[in-house]
Amino acid sequence: MDFPEIQDNEFQRTLMNILDLSSKDNTYKFAFMRFLLDYCNEHAKTHVEFSTVAEYFFKYY
């Protein structure tokens, strides 16, 4: 999975739109957002394997 190169403010605006405008009945959105934030804080690369995403999800649940 490759993440697009975007500015920090655009990334923040997108996350806030998801939180503000989407339904809050699915916890996977919050787990995925937490994954993105944690992963970005720990790694500088813009590519991540699906197995890494799954590993973080298991940690959160």
Side-chain angles (χ1 to χ4, degrees):
M1 171 182 260
D2 289 311
F3 295 111
E5 297 281 336
I6 60 172
Q7 298 295 320
D8 289 344
N9 60 344
E10 184 180 352
F11 181 72
Q12 182 182 14
R13 186 174 55 246
T14 300
L15 285 178
M16 293 310 296
N17 280 340
I18 291 170
L19 285 174
D20 290 340
L21 303 175
S22 66
S23 65
K24 311 295 189 288
D25 57 348
N26 296 318
T27 58
Y28 72 88
K29 293 175 193 171
F30 298 106
F32 187 66
M33 279 190 222
R34 184 171 175 190
F35 156 72
L36 287 175
L37 294 171
D38 287 350
Y39 189 84
C40 290
N41 284 330
E42 296 172 8
H43 303 89
K45 35 185 191 171
T46 59
H47 178 86
V48 61
E49 297 295 326
F50 284 112
S51 60
T52 304
V53 177
E55 181 181 318
Y56 277 77
F57 266 70
F58 287 133
K59 181 174 82 172
Y60 300 143
Y61 285 104

